[in-house]
Amino acid sequence: LRGAAAIVGVAESDLGDVGPQRHAIELAAQAAVRAVADAGLGMQNIDGLFGCVAGRLMSNLDLGEYLGIRPRYSDSGNIGGSSFISYLYHAAIALRAGLCDTALIVYGSTPRADVQRKQPLSGLLERPNYEAPYKPRHPVSGYALATARHMHQYGTTREQLAQVAVAARAWALLNPVAFSHDKGPLSIADVLDSKMVCSPLSVRDCCLVTDGGGALVVTRADRARDLAKPPVYLLGAGEAHSHRSISQMPDLTTSCATESSARAYAMAGVGPADIDVVQLYDAFTINTIMFLEDLGFCAKGEGGAFIADGRIAPGGALPVNTNGGGLSYCHPGMYGIFTLIEATR
């Protein structure tokens, strides 16, 4: 699969607070139209559809209907915020096998607008059986548990966690469409003094809640060379999962990124030392520290020290989440597609 597929168009929808009159499928469609145009194509060229729209049980049926796409290949499996990285991997497989020629990966969600229009949660709120009696406030409770364990086991400090949020805000100040673009820089003290949400994570350790959508267009390498924008080739990909419930996580300080990254590195023929920019899912500050360890940029337990002194901030040795990340750019609930959009750009 190395280099067999390429991203040829990317786009976001309107982001931030779009108002109660806007809905998730509208933002997904807006991003899709923009991404297809970015590739110099039309919807009639799309025959592979990979999508997720918040609150829609049959996302791809709704998206196909809304966008006028009758796909030859369709995938809307939901594994959370990483679904879109999985879709890119699966799209490359489908393209390589000739099951489709041009794939659209798309997402839309409006959690802020949903609250404004007092829209109830769709369906029953799922709670894992073993955790339900304790009434966790997920997802923050699970990440707080992992954070507490990392701090206990490796001596990671809240000040180190705060540096992740400070770096993310510094990147957001350079991004005109970032939700926090006009909110000014963040200091370590600002993070430490912000309201505690679930100990040891405060408000500034937690991702934004914004509306937004995103989309990618992916095609075979042989076709990509003839399109409007320089192609961005997929060199390596991998996926893995071990649990859904935090109570069933084999090791609270190690994620399946250890496995998925090993597969991606092997396919691409590179290692961490070859990487000079990183886009991570930073739903919480612990994510960035833990994932940098799991991806091999530093040893397990050394993530807090690794990101010190602005290493991942603008001007640092390893740029991370250069759009501002889920902490300061946007986070409509499933952030993964925005890592791909920023990596492509």
Side-chain angles (χ1 to χ4, degrees), residues 205-224:
D205 288 296
C206 300
C207 62
L208 302 168
V209 178
T210 70
D211 303 319
L216 314 169
V217 178
V218 190
T219 192
R220 291 192 311 275
D222 59 349
R223 189 180 187 208

Side-chain angles (χ1 to χ4, degrees), residues 28-334:
Q30 185 183 49
V33 168
R34 290 174 177 177
V36 171
D38 189 53
L41 298 171
M43 287 298 167
Q44 72 276 9
N45 301 116
I46 306 297
D47 61 352
L49 185 59
F50 300 75
C52 180
V53 178
R56 301 262 178 169
L57 183 63
M58 302 181 188
S59 292
N60 265 20
L61 296 184
D62 289 324
L63 283 167
E65 175 184 280
Y66 202 87
L67 295 169
I69 297 170
R70 295 173 69 111
R72 291 197 291 135
Y73 193 92
S74 185
D75 183 354
S76 57
N78 190 333
I79 54 170
S82 61
S83 297
F84 311 99
I85 287 81
S86 177
Y87 293 161
L88 178 58
Y89 186 20
H90 297 178
I93 295 169
L95 289 161
R96 185 77 174 86
L99 301 177
C100 60
D101 294 320
T102 305
L104 176 67
I105 301 171
V106 61
Y107 172 60
S109 180
T110 50
R112 292 181 76 89
D114 293 345
V115 170
Q116 291 168 30
R117 57 177 163 257
K118 298 180 171 57
Q119 180 174 318
L121 289 170
S122 55
L124 295 173
L125 187 63
E126 297 179 71
R127 292 206 185 278
N129 291 340
Y130 298 115
E131 298 176 12
Y134 305 96
K135 298 180 180 177
R137 185 179 181 178
H138 282 321
V140 64
S141 294
Y143 284 94
L145 185 61
T147 306
R149 181 62 190 178
H150 203 280
M151 294 173 75
H152 169 77
Q153 193 162 331
Y154 300 113
T156 308
T157 66
R158 286 199 63 217
E159 287 79 7
Q160 289 172 333
L161 292 165
Q163 291 205 39
V164 174
V166 169
R169 178 63 64 83
W171 285 114
L173 296 179
L174 304 176
N175 182 357
V177 300
F179 189 75
S180 301
H181 174 69
D182 299 322
K183 299 187 186 305
L186 200 63
S187 69
I188 299 294
D190 291 335
V191 180
L192 298 180
D193 294 342
S194 62
K195 182 180 178 181
M196 190 61 67
V197 177
C198 191
S199 181
L201 298 177
S202 73
V203 168
R204 299 298 171 215
D205 288 296
C206 300
C207 62
L208 302 168
V209 178
T210 70
D211 303 319
L216 314 169
V217 178
V218 190
T219 192
R220 291 192 311 275
D222 59 349
R223 189 180 187 208
R225 290 188 290 269
D226 300 324
L227 296 180
K229 294 291 180 69
V232 176
Y233 296 97
L234 175 64
L235 301 184
E239 61 184 347
H241 56 80
S242 64
H243 64 284
R244 178 175 180 181
S245 312
I246 189 69
S247 62
Q248 305 307 303
M249 189 172 182
D251 179 342
L252 286 171
T253 65
T254 302
S255 75
C256 273
T258 54
E259 300 168 37
S260 58
S261 65
R263 292 166 190 150
Y265 288 143
M267 184 189 296
V270 303
D274 300 301
I275 307 298
D276 54 16
V277 64
V278 184
Q279 310 297 343
L280 297 174
Y281 199 123
D282 61 339
F284 301 92
T285 50
I286 188 61
N287 295 42
T288 301
I289 288 174
M290 204 159 81
F291 293 161
L292 286 170
E293 295 170 349
D294 293 346
L295 295 170
F297 290 96
C298 60
K300 178 53 64 179
E302 295 180 2
F306 180 79
I307 59 120
D309 301 321
R311 183 190 291 261
I312 64 172
L318 183 67
V320 173
N321 294 348
T322 50
N323 55 7
L327 292 168
S328 272
Y329 154 61
C330 79
H331 196 291
M334 294 167 69

